[in-house]
Amino acid sequence: MDDEKIIVCRCEDITLKEIRDLIKEGFTTVEEIKRVSRAGMGPCQGKTCGPIIAREISRITGKPIEEVYKPHNRPPFGGIFFKEIVGETDEK
Amino acid sequence: MKNRAAVVIIGGGINGVSIAYNLAKAGVKDVIVLEKKFLAYGATGRCGAGVRQQWGTKQNCILSRESVKIFENIKDELKVDIDIEFKQKGYLLLAFTEKEWNQFHKNVQLQNSLGINSKLLSPQEAKEIVPFLNTEKLLGAAYYEKDGHANPFLTTLAYAKAAEKLGVKIYKGVEVFDIHVKEGKIKGVYTNHGYIATEKIVNAAGGWSQEIGKMVGVDLPVYSERHEILATEPVNEILGPMVMSFSYNIYCQQTPHGSFVMGYGPKETSKSMRSTWQFLETMAKKVTYLLPPTKNLRVVRQWAGYYNISPDRQPIVSSCNEVEGFYMAIGFSGHGFMLAPAVGVIMKDIILGNKLTWDVVLDIGRFERNEIIKEPSVV
């Protein structure tokens, strides 16, 4: 399949080709790819794209996947409304 | 990795790469940047990346004014095709106390005298710029439309690429363990990838700059303070300027991408770089009070980083009396990103022994000379 048509990061619409190009350019960690492309900065916070990006890095660089994929997600675990945090319910 | 260099810069944040770029542009060969993690890992990649010229001291005003000129023409300057997402829709600074409002009057006068055409606004005028702003207890605001913010990762990357095109070597994953000093002169650095011989080292290590100072036996007058920040999901643009209050302790912006980024300083000297739920709760209260429509935004991520604080809240860009060949660009006190374009130029001047491009006093000797004028306007 055409890697230009495969979406890896669904939150930010980033294709497999873009990810592969970044790895070849020298961004060989999930953390760096996130920072330059926003892959993993969307609502899912890399829970979907993270493992796929790690697998690509592993394939291209030859590093074992355990070395490449070390997710340490920043909180919160899922998106949360400010109004939920301050305890405000919707006025009806 | 090379084992010899004319200049070794420690720290791959925005200031490290800006210094490297400016040295290479001036013709210095064999410049190396050492970064223990990856570019913008520290304060640069964790900051709000605001760019404001509304400062309370002459040094900060001049450095930020000159930096904005460079940000505005960054593609011409660096000759690399990277959009740094510079959004120039102003900074709206809010005054809630008499003391703050008086300070704004003084600041605007100083800024205007230096060619920064900021102005004071009534609460009503502030509301024209941000219609949903809660103006309860607001005395007034200061505003300058040429302030703004940019993407810190892409700006660092742009400088790094421009530097590399001019021959600079940037090594990621290389950590400095110790510095070799002999008879008061720099001789080299020890890293986890071996020794590099050099006669000049620039300490641009941000939150870790004190530790680098200790390696040459110098106690630098800076300390690191943990600050926290968060980002929301992206939404359509509703907020133009960066909104900021010193007394209410908050800054909040909407990036061109659509996400809101906001923070405040819990002012902890904790060595942890983890974020806290206390920050999230307090920030939720602050921002939904000041900018009510934000209550319908989802927070997706929060994190923390260090401010490297100097005694007068202005950077120390300097050589070092005790150790020949040791230079520092440290103590940015939370505004290192926005000053970096000008700091790179100044550090290049210092290393080459040139007259400084702008009339600023940033040397470390100012603290001994008691020339301290403390920056009054920091979040």
Side-chain angles (χ1 to χ4, degrees):
Chain A
M1 218 173 133
D2 185 355
D3 67 4
E4 276 184 66
K5 289 182 183 153
I6 300 173
I7 302 289
V8 169
C9 170
R10 297 185 295 196
C11 303
E12 298 288 341
D13 277 349
I14 295 164
T15 65
L16 184 56
K17 180 171 191 311
E18 287 173 87
I19 298 296
R20 286 178 173 164
D21 287 348
L22 287 171
I23 297 167
K24 286 170 194 159
E25 225 185 286
F27 300 101
T28 52
T29 61
V30 179
E31 293 291 301
E32 287 171 279
I33 289 173
K34 170 183 163 186
R35 283 159 176 77
V36 296
S37 72
R38 283 200 172 88
M41 281 192 186
C44 97
Q45 287 296 295
K47 293 192 221 30
T48 310
C49 60
I52 304 172
I53 294 170
R55 187 197 62 198
E56 287 303 313
I57 293 170
S58 177
R59 279 184 183 166
I60 293 173
T61 64
K63 285 185 201 159
I65 190 88
E66 314 85 75
E67 215 176 279
V68 176
Y69 191 50
K70 295 176 192 159
H72 46 101
N73 289 344
R74 289 171 166 177
F77 186 74
I80 179 169
F81 285 112
F82 278 123
K83 64 185 173 191
E84 294 175 301
I85 302 169
V86 297
E88 191 181 310
T89 48
D90 275 333
E91 58 269 36
K92 293 226 166 90
Chain B
M1 195 170 78
K2 291 169 88 167
N3 58 11
R4 177 169 293 279
V7 183
V8 171
I9 297 163
I10 304 172
I14 185 69
N15 279 288
V17 293
S18 170
I19 292 163
Y21 164 76
N22 280 285
L23 285 170
K25 187 185 166 193
V28 180
K29 308 273 182 237
D30 289 326
V31 176
I32 286 180
V33 177
L34 302 180
E35 166 53 51
K36 71 171 174 174
K37 298 275 190 178
F38 47 80
L39 291 178
Y41 166 78
T44 300
R46 294 161 190 273
C47 75
V51 176
R52 77 167 141 126
Q53 299 159 80
Q54 298 182 71
W55 288 99
T57 67
K58 187 182 152 202
Q59 326 292 344
N60 277 338
C61 282
I62 292 174
L63 289 174
S64 60
R65 181 191 71 198
E66 296 306 320
S67 290
V68 165
K69 287 182 194 164
I70 298 170
F71 279 125
E72 283 172 340
N73 299 297
I74 198 94
K75 282 193 182 174
D76 293 339
E77 170 69 34
L78 300 180
K79 298 176 180 69
V80 292
D81 190 25
I82 292 174
D83 178 8
I84 66 161
E85 299 173 5
F86 186 34
K87 176 175 164 182
Q88 225 171 350
K89 291 199 178 175
Y91 252 65
L92 186 68
L93 304 176
L94 308 173
F96 290 102
T97 67
E98 283 294 337
K99 190 180 162 219
E100 200 167 28
W101 190 224
N102 291 338
Q103 185 66 50
F104 281 15
H105 280 80
K106 286 183 207 156
N107 288 2
V108 165
Q109 204 173 16
L110 171 74
Q111 290 151 13
N112 291 175
S113 76
L114 294 166
I116 298 162
N117 297 317
S118 53
K119 59 188 176 189
L120 295 169
L121 303 179
S122 67
Q124 205 45 49
E125 289 169 319
K127 232 174 151 59
E128 282 166 25
I129 295 168
V130 180
F132 48 86
L133 178 71
N134 182 355
T135 53
E136 192 186 342
K137 294 182 187 155
L138 183 68
L139 299 180
Y143 179 69
Y144 186 41
E145 76 273 7
K146 292 207 169 167
D147 291 344
H149 47 84
N151 180 317
F153 311 116
L154 297 179
T155 309
T156 306
L157 186 61
Y159 265 100
K161 292 226 172 212
E164 284 177 328
K165 273 167 80 172
L166 296 172
V168 172
K169 296 281 179 224
I170 298 175
Y171 297 114
K172 300 183 287 188
V174 177
E175 185 169 358
V176 172
F177 290 145
D178 205 357
I179 294 173
H180 182 193
V181 182
K182 198 177 166 190
E183 289 159 4
K185 290 180 183 170
I186 293 289
K187 292 290 169 195
V189 288
Y190 299 96
T191 79
N192 57 343
H193 283 72
Y195 181 79
I196 303 170
T198 184
E199 290 182 352
K200 290 185 169 71
I201 287 175
V202 180
N203 178 1
W208 298 270
S209 57
Q210 251 259 334
E211 283 82 345
I212 299 295
K214 283 182 186 146
M215 291 177 190
V216 297
V218 177
D219 188 19
L220 297 171
V222 292
Y223 64 93
S224 295
E225 196 173 78
R226 179 176 65 172
H227 284 236
E228 298 193 48
I229 181 166
L230 62 78
T232 72
E233 63 189 331
V235 291
N236 289 338
E237 185 177 338
I238 57 167
L239 182 64
M242 173 86 88
V243 175
M244 188 174 212
S245 163
F246 305 112
S247 57
Y248 192 59
N249 194 11
I250 188 174
Y251 61 87
C252 177
Q253 55 160 285
Q254 187 178 14
T255 67
H257 168 257
S259 53
F260 276 67
V261 173
M262 59 192 77
Y264 73 88
K267 300 205 164 38
E268 293 169 39
T269 47
S270 162
K271 267 291 163 195
S272 159
M273 254 207 295
R274 306 291 295 186
S275 55
T276 64
W277 62 265
Q278 288 90 342
F279 167 80
L280 181 61
E281 192 176 30
T282 307
M283 179 50 94
K285 285 181 191 152
K286 277 176 183 277
V287 75
T288 56
Y289 172 79
L290 195 63
L291 302 166
T294 57
K295 68 184 180 187
N296 292 312
L297 292 174
R298 283 188 190 88
V299 181
V300 295
R301 184 169 65 259
Q302 60 174 120
W303 65 96
Y306 295 140
Y307 277 26
N308 190 236
I309 308 276
S310 75
D312 59 1
R313 307 300 188 266
Q314 296 172 91
I316 302 168
V317 185
S318 184
S319 57
C320 175
N321 278 341
E322 294 91 335
V323 184
E324 194 181 323
F326 188 66
Y327 300 85
M328 64 197 90
I330 60 171
F332 288 97
S333 310
H335 36 287
F337 175 77
M338 67 179 79
L339 304 183
V343 164
V345 173
I346 296 282
M347 184 51 93
K348 173 264 301 173
D349 291 337
I350 294 170
I351 290 173
L352 297 181
N354 297 344
K355 182 175 177 291
L356 300 189
T357 302
W358 303 290
D359 176 25
V360 284
V361 180
L362 299 168
D363 70 299
I364 195 164
R366 70 183 186 264
F367 304 110
E368 282 168 14
R369 298 192 303 267
N370 277 325
E371 287 173 4
I372 300 183
I373 305 167
K374 192 170 169 180
E375 171 58 58
S377 305
V378 182
V379 163

